[in-house]
Amino acid sequence: FGGVMTAATVFLNGHRLGEFRGGYSQFFFELTEKVNWRGDNVIAVIVDSTERKDIPPFGGEIDYLTFGGIYRDVNLRVVPQTFIDNIFAKPVDVLQSDRRLEVRCFLNSRDPGPRERKFKVELLDDSRIVATKEGEASTSSPHTDLTLSNLRAIELWELNRPKLYDVRVSLIEDGVQTDKYKTRIGFREARFTPEGFLLNGTHLKLRGLNRHQTYPYVGQAMPARVQRRDAWILRKELKCNIVRTSHYPQSPHFLDACDEYGLMVLEEIPGWQHIGDQKWKDLSVDYVD
């Protein structure tokens, strides 16, 4: 589920799979054990759209509407017994000649059998492989780290030339590729200093606006095309170079378009002039992860 406002309890064939609290983050539940493989299956969702004090941003007063319901994409993901759950690709020292890319790979495995498992990480410029690295996939720790080094020919992401690269991670078991995962990144360094804001070491005057994910008549429920159009309007028509996602994480379609159009993003966790109890704080930290 890409987003359900504000809490969702999911059932499959009458079996409760769990509850997710929070309206702005994606979540998933494992279906396999409750699937009826010989007949129909029914997925049911109970949606609680009240302003619950145990869920950020609620508990105080907020100055915007949150609406309710299943308002982002819903997908069924089919994976092997052992699969790549997620990856996090982090460019490091991008302004130096020895710039590198640190890739953290998260493995999810329900296969107890002994296998030789490896990760293969590739950095691609369109379809051209720029760099590659292989390493053993750890099943004893929650993640495996691999680093692509000496990326001298990398082109930096700039406002007027927002260069993006693909990071492709493959899972290889006993010599056979069994899963793959791909994401996009840009090589850039953004810094706030006493002298002002620096993008890739160059002083930049920030010109931006706040953006809510709210539309007339439909509230928050808008498809990818319109989400991307908002990014285009901000960058191309209003000539902004930064947008603040007030006051919560916003649609991945909008964020991807910002990367493509050369629009920087200051993204926020859900909140407005209020901090709740420890469980409230823990949820906020989970949203960041």
Side-chain angles (χ1 to χ4, degrees):
F1 292 82
V4 179
M5 187 64 69
T6 300
T9 305
V10 182
F11 298 82
L12 176 61
N13 299 328
H15 299 281
R16 185 181 187 275
L17 302 178
E19 181 193 41
F20 184 83
R21 292 176 294 151
Y24 304 103
S25 301
Q26 66 177 358
F27 63 93
F28 66 91
F29 291 106
E30 176 69 38
L31 305 179
T32 308
E33 294 180 359
K34 306 301 181 183
V35 170
N36 176 11
W37 298 101
R38 297 187 178 183
D40 293 336
N41 291 271
V42 177
I43 295 177
V45 185
I46 296 177
V47 179
D48 182 355
S49 298
T50 59
E51 297 188 1
R52 290 170 44 174
K53 292 184 178 181
D54 61 328
I55 301 177
F58 305 113
E61 294 183 1
I62 56 174
D63 69 339
Y64 54 92
L65 299 175
T66 55
F67 304 96
I70 303 172
Y71 71 98
R72 288 184 184 165
D73 299 341
V74 180
N75 298 285
L76 179 65
R77 185 181 180 193
V78 181
V79 295
Q81 285 286 83
T82 299
F83 64 97
I84 303 169
D85 203 359
N86 201 356
I87 67 173
F88 179 65
K90 178 184 177 182
V92 179
D93 293 334
V94 299
L95 302 185
Q96 308 301 321
S97 60
D98 60 346
R99 64 181 65 92
R100 61 191 183 277
L101 179 67
E102 297 178 353
V103 182
R104 176 160 289 183
C105 309
F106 296 86
L107 192 68
N108 190 319
S109 179
R110 294 178 178 268
D111 181 3
R115 293 177 181 270
E116 181 187 50
R117 294 189 174 98
K118 292 183 178 180
F119 283 122
K120 181 180 180 181
V121 177
E122 297 169 299
L123 181 66
L124 297 99
D125 184 359
D126 292 327
S127 59
R128 181 177 64 89
I129 298 176
V130 177
T132 185
K133 180 73 174 290
E134 288 190 15
E136 181 180 353
S138 174
T139 56
S140 58
S141 67
H143 55 76
T144 300
D145 294 331
L146 295 172
T147 301
L148 300 179
S149 303
N150 298 320
L151 304 176
R152 297 180 180 274
I154 289 300
E155 185 176 341
L156 297 183
W157 185 96
E158 301 281 0
L159 294 178
N160 295 325
R161 185 173 171 79
K163 178 67 176 179
L164 296 171
Y165 293 85
D166 289 321
V167 179
R168 183 171 64 195
V169 177
S170 301
L171 175 63
I172 302 171
E173 297 184 283
D174 294 335
V176 178
Q177 177 181 298
T178 57
D179 196 21
K180 61 182 179 180
Y181 195 112
K182 188 165 73 171
T183 190
R184 290 189 311 172
I185 64 166
F187 285 79
R188 56 199 167 194
E189 181 187 79
R191 296 176 56 217
F192 287 95
T193 74
E195 290 73 36
F197 177 79
L198 303 180
L199 177 63
N200 298 332
T202 301
H203 183 268
L204 179 68
K205 182 72 172 180
L206 296 176
R207 302 185 303 275
L209 291 169
N210 297 331
R211 188 249 188 186
H212 275 290
Q213 59 177 23
T214 304
Y215 297 86
Y217 309 111
V218 300
Q220 300 175 128
M222 268 294 182
R225 175 181 59 83
V226 187
Q227 300 284 352
R228 294 178 59 85
R229 179 65 177 176
D230 269 7
W232 191 93
I233 291 171
L234 285 163
R235 184 70 181 112
K236 304 298 184 178
E237 291 188 359
L238 302 179
K239 308 302 181 183
C240 294
N241 57 26
I242 191 170
V243 57
R244 175 188 176 210
T245 62
S246 50
H247 306 279
Y248 39 78
Q250 298 190 4
S251 165
H253 302 302
F254 172 76
L255 299 175
D256 287 345
C258 290
D259 267 344
E260 295 173 16
Y261 298 147
L263 183 63
M264 296 181 294
V265 180
L266 183 63
E267 192 170 30
E268 299 184 347
I269 60 175
W272 173 253
Q273 298 187 359
H274 170 75
I275 298 176
D277 60 16
Q278 189 58 50
K279 291 183 178 180
W280 191 101
K281 297 175 186 177
D282 291 342
L283 272 180
S284 295
V285 173
D286 288 341
Y287 299 153
V288 175
D289 293 341

